[in-house]
Amino acid sequence: MNQLTVSGDGAIGVQVDGTGNSVTIFAAGSALHMEMLHKRKLDQPRSLQDLLISDARVTTLVGRDADLAALASWCASDAPVAVRTLIGRAGSGKTRLAIEACAAAEQDGWVAGFVDGRQLQRFHAQQNLASWRSPKPTLIVVDEAAASARILKDWFTALARQRAPGPDAPPAARLRILLLERHAEAEFGWWADLARPESSASAGAEQFMRGERPVVLPPLAEAAMRRALLTEAMGHAAAILGKGKAALPAPGVDPSFDALIGNDARLENEPLFLIMAAIAGVERGAPAALALGKVDLAEDVATIERARLTRLGIAGGLDTDGELIGHLAAVLTLQRGCTFDTLVPLIKTEQAAMELSHAVSSQKIAKLLRDALTNDGTRFSGLKPDMIGGAFLVHEIASEFRSDAVKQAIINRAWSRTGMPVAETLILAAQDLAAGKADHPAVVWLGGLALEVEDPEQLSAMIDALPQGTLALSELAAAWQQRLVDARRQEFSPGDVSTAPDLAASLNNLANRLFGLGQREEALAAADEAVALRRHLAAARPDIFAPDLAMSLNNLANCLSELGQREEALEAADEAVALRRHLAVARPDVFAPTLATSLNNLANCLSALGQREAALAAAEETVGLYRQLAAARPDAFAPNLARSLSVLGDMLEAAGRLEGACAADNEAVATLGAPFLALPGAHAGLMLAICKDYVRRHAAAGRPLDEALLGPIVAVFERMQAGEK
């Protein structure tokens, strides 16, 4: 066991475990344990799980040079502490990119690794975080960050208010914290809460996120990269499955395959999809596999894994149909594994509950599972990645031979053992597999699980993990948020400053959820109440609550505008701008992005009332702010700049200045560029709207389309016409 110790303000040191797979940083009595996933690289995969999981690093990383360079530049910046958020769809390669960033950082003398939610909970429980620091520059990666957002907020706030080190203490080394998540919104939800200042006067968690916005990791951009990854993964999959070497059709041989692999705007251009297609392609052939959707491929791979588990169970004398080992693997996947110490009790509980008793001892069953599933020597997980694990557990638990009550009882037992990981697993399964269906098993089980949750903090954590844009979960999210508002209202009493902020925040989020469902009047009522609460709080403590009031006023303006109450909407938007302008004068690095958001909103409100010159001035100021922000961070602010340019184009067109509107459209599309035009999810509607305006206004002005921009525009139209959203 290697140990580095540096003297100074308290005992400070770095301790690496004997296998080199984890590291613990001791500082001022606090110990942070990190998993060094970049140390787990395999030369050859032994199973499909090895091929699929990120930390095995079996396949060559392709198409991420620019993303790695951006992370390296961020690490090398002068800021003592900095936080960045990387978001992307399931299988986009966020975790793999972060692992490679850790490997690169270690080569440069950093300590780097992943910290999971359990470790954050334990570390957060220590009381001396304000004095914690590492003796070496440190990169910490937090995967599935939404579930840990509240702990991170408190930790960041403590770091921001860190006491000055003693005269003999070594200088604090740089600390970088990389957050990974599928979803994050700048104005709403877990990330907005994390980045929101606690005070306009004193520094808090937000000081580490200056000029930041969640960065979207796009699909692989080039057909050659996709072809290379698919070829390599098929070679590995064929060897694992004992099949003959499979090959891709050479370019030009199969036009339909060339069209699929060459479509830069295709949503399935993510690494995990290509690796799943490679596995299925060993049996089906690459063209047939690549034509399948993500859900079909995930279910295909899950079926292969089920067959493997059945074979292991039979070989171990367990059963003939794999029912017991399949059920246990599904439960472990649902609750994200367990320690070896808790495995045998889990087996006994599930055997008794499901009446799956067997002559084979629980200890032998545990050994079979340990051999069948990924483990690190002390703890093992279920099936990975999340999409395949979700497909597996849904198939196993949702058996037609079980009643709904039995299925829900399986979910609830897992919750009683591990809590939030169960909800997180089901949320991811719903995102990946439900296809917008509210009656999908994962969505139904989530609804039943929420009935078991009474603690507002637990319910709040579950809500944080819910994405804003997933149709299957939108009604569930609003219902949960309403329950949280009701719970916060019971805790609240008028004049109670300690409980009012929580109620106001819950109402603000409820307004956003209801707005997304089209329930405009209900959203307005929640937004109006949130503003009233926050106005009262801001009157007493403007340094703390003015930023929150500005946010709620912005939301209120949107609700009023949608209901046609234009004068009232303008009044709210104008007040939000005034507040944020004042805040931005004092702290432009923190409040300039939110000021730009409010100005954009104000421009729309002014335009709706026919105040064209004022609307144009607000739109031009918005563009100016976003130009500055995007110049420093194009990956974070290019979509915002494009959106503001599109609004400016609307204002210029309304003022009869069509040439100026076309120029704004040109800049908007050029700002997005091909990589941004390929982005899915929340950006897709923006892309389509900007491209439509570009074509329409250029046609009205009799101007030809720019050939350099035409290709990406056509790709967007084709994708949207194909029904992809």
Side-chain angles (χ1 to χ4, degrees):
M1 187 173 288
N2 302 318
Q3 182 166 317
L4 166 68
T5 302
V6 180
S7 62
D9 184 15
I12 304 176
V14 176
Q15 180 172 292
V16 182
D17 74 1
T19 64
N21 283 334
S22 64
V23 61
T24 301
I25 301 176
F26 298 93
S30 301
L32 180 66
H33 183 79
M34 300 192 294
E35 295 297 324
M36 303 170 75
L37 299 187
H38 57 287
K39 296 290 191 181
R40 299 178 180 176
K41 181 175 173 59
L42 297 176
D43 294 329
Q44 290 293 328
R46 299 155 299 190
S47 66
L48 293 182
Q49 283 288 287
D50 290 342
L51 180 58
L52 288 160
I53 60 177
S54 301
D55 44 317
R57 298 166 70 195
V58 169
T59 56
T60 304
L61 184 72
V62 295
R64 299 303 188 201
D65 291 347
D67 302 299
L68 275 174
L71 289 175
S73 176
W74 168 65
C75 285
S77 66
D78 294 333
V81 183
V83 178
R84 178 158 293 182
T85 303
L86 186 65
I87 61 174
R89 287 162 31 111
S92 59
K94 302 181 296 296
T95 303
R96 176 65 187 276
L97 179 64
I99 289 171
E100 298 294 345
C102 287
E106 186 181 77
Q107 288 184 343
D108 291 336
W110 288 55
V111 178
F114 282 61
V115 178
D116 64 18
R118 291 182 301 275
Q119 176 61 206
L120 282 172
Q121 284 276 9
R122 187 203 59 75
F123 185 60
H124 176 63
Q126 297 174 342
Q127 299 302 309
N128 50 359
L129 298 183
S131 60
W132 186 89
R133 64 181 183 277
S134 170
K136 300 179 71 175
T138 301
L139 170 61
I140 297 171
V141 181
V142 181
D143 208 347
E144 297 176 355
S148 302
R150 293 173 184 276
I151 298 168
L152 289 168
K153 177 88 169 183
D154 290 343
W155 185 26
F156 294 171
T157 300
L159 285 171
R161 297 167 184 172
Q162 189 178 69
R163 70 169 187 261
D168 298 325
R174 280 173 293 174
L175 175 62
R176 299 291 179 266
I177 302 168
L178 179 62
L179 308 180
L180 307 181
E181 191 47 88
R182 293 191 185 189
H183 65 96
E185 299 291 336
E187 287 287 309
F188 163 65
W190 74 271
W191 193 91
D193 289 342
L194 187 61
R196 188 175 68 248
E198 295 293 329
S199 168
S200 61
S202 60
E206 77 286 345
Q207 82 169 56
F208 306 138
M209 307 170 79
R210 289 184 177 127
E212 287 284 342
R213 279 295 187 272
V215 178
V216 181
L217 186 64
L220 294 179
E222 297 180 17
M225 297 173 182
R226 301 190 285 271
R227 181 177 281 271
L229 178 56
L230 190 59
T231 299
E232 183 182 12
M234 281 187 72
H236 286 306
I240 293 166
L241 297 172
K243 304 292 184 179
K245 187 174 182 180
L248 271 62
V253 172
D254 186 334
S256 62
F257 177 79
D258 290 344
L260 285 171
I261 200 75
N263 185 351
D264 293 339
R266 195 166 185 251
L267 294 182
E268 286 83 5
N269 289 340
E270 286 133 339
L272 177 60
F273 173 85
L274 294 168
I275 294 173
M276 290 193 300
I279 294 170
V282 172
E283 294 283 356
R284 298 173 178 265
L290 201 64
L292 293 174
K294 278 187 174 182
V295 174
D296 290 334
L297 282 176
E299 291 175 346
D300 220 33
V301 177
T303 299
I304 295 172
E305 286 291 81
R306 177 58 157 82
R308 176 181 69 89
L309 290 170
T310 301
R311 290 194 300 271
L312 287 171
I314 293 172
L318 189 56
D319 49 20
T320 58
D321 58 5
E323 183 179 9
L324 177 55
I325 195 169
H327 173 75
L328 292 172
V331 169
L332 289 167
T333 300
L334 175 65
Q335 65 181 54
R336 304 200 169 189
C338 69
T339 64
F340 289 165
D341 294 340
T342 58
L343 178 57
V344 169
L346 181 152
I347 292 170
K348 291 180 178 179
T349 298
E350 290 302 311
Q351 281 185 295
M354 303 302 297
E355 299 182 352
L356 294 172
S357 59
H358 201 280
V360 176
S361 70
S362 298
Q363 287 75 14
K364 186 173 180 180
I365 296 172
K367 185 178 185 304
L368 281 171
L369 286 167
R370 185 173 60 188
D371 294 339
L373 301 173
T374 304
N375 69 86
D376 61 7
T378 60
R379 180 182 180 85
F380 63 92
S381 61
L383 294 180
K384 292 183 177 181
D386 292 322
M387 185 179 295
I388 293 166
F392 180 88
L393 74 88
V394 167
H395 181 270
E396 289 297 313
I397 297 175
S399 168
E400 61 182 327
F401 301 108
R402 293 174 178 163
S403 68
D404 291 342
V406 169
K407 297 170 190 175
Q408 190 66 54
I410 296 170
I411 306 300
N412 294 349
R413 283 197 303 275
W415 169 268
S416 70
R417 285 188 290 264
T418 60
M420 267 303 294
V422 175
E424 292 162 14
T425 299
L426 291 176
I427 288 168
L428 295 178
Q431 288 180 256
D432 293 337
L433 308 170
K437 298 176 182 176
D439 61 350
H440 186 272
V443 182
V444 173
W445 298 336
L446 268 172
L449 181 61
L451 298 177
E452 301 291 309
V453 180
E454 297 181 357
D455 178 29
E457 296 306 319
Q458 277 191 322
L459 185 59
S460 181
M462 290 174 68
I463 291 169
D464 282 343
L466 289 169
Q468 172 72 356
T470 301
L471 180 61
L473 295 172
S474 56
E475 291 187 5
L476 195 62
W480 289 6
Q481 190 67 52
Q482 182 64 65
R483 280 185 58 200
L484 183 60
V485 166
D486 294 341
R488 299 298 192 199
R489 206 185 296 281
Q490 288 182 356
E491 299 170 345
F492 171 72
S493 60
D496 184 354
V497 178
S498 64
T499 57
D502 283 341
L503 175 57
S506 297
L507 284 162
N508 192 74
N509 289 338
L510 177 62
N512 278 289
R513 295 285 186 186
L514 293 170
F515 190 87
L517 285 172
Q519 298 179 25
R520 305 296 195 234
E521 292 183 357
E522 295 86 347
L524 174 59
D528 201 30
E529 188 177 355
V531 166
L533 281 169
R534 285 177 163 171
R535 193 182 297 284
H536 179 74
L537 290 166
R541 291 295 307 274
D543 57 324
I544 295 177
F545 295 111
D548 291 345
L549 174 58
M551 176 187 290
S552 288
L553 283 164
N554 214 54
N555 292 341
L556 179 62
N558 289 331
C559 293
L560 290 164
S561 181
E562 283 293 316
L563 286 169
Q565 300 181 35
R566 294 175 178 175
E567 289 82 2
E568 295 87 344
L570 175 59
E571 184 179 350
D574 198 37
E575 186 179 357
V577 166
L579 278 170
R580 284 177 164 171
R581 195 184 297 282
H582 176 75
L583 293 166
V585 169
R587 300 183 65 189
D589 55 333
V590 173
F591 292 106
T594 58
L595 172 59
T597 299
S598 288
L599 279 165
N600 202 65
N601 201 26
L602 177 63
N604 285 316
C605 289
L606 288 164
S607 179
L609 285 168
Q611 300 183 31
R612 293 178 178 173
E613 290 303 316
L616 184 58
E620 288 174 336
E621 186 179 359
T622 305
V623 168
L625 280 171
Y626 277 130
R627 277 200 185 108
Q628 294 175 18
L629 293 164
R633 288 293 312 283
D635 53 347
F637 288 101
N640 302 89
L641 175 56
R643 183 183 292 108
S644 67
L645 283 161
S646 183
V647 172
L648 177 60
D650 293 340
M651 305 302 165
L652 288 165
E653 183 180 18
R657 295 161 58 179
L658 194 55
E659 288 295 320
C662 288
D665 290 336
N666 275 336
E667 186 181 352
V669 177
T671 296
L672 289 169
F676 283 102
L677 288 168
L679 292 180
H683 292 289
L686 168 66
M687 312 304 170
L688 182 60
I690 288 175
C691 291
K692 281 183 174 178
D693 285 340
Y694 174 85
V695 172
R696 177 181 59 79
R697 282 197 275 253
H698 275 63
R703 294 182 56 169
L705 300 177
D706 189 324
E707 291 296 329
L709 301 176
L710 186 59
I713 292 170
V714 171
V716 170
F717 280 130
E718 288 178 346
R719 189 179 74 190
M720 302 304 282
Q721 288 171 354
E724 296 173 342
K725 299 181 180 179

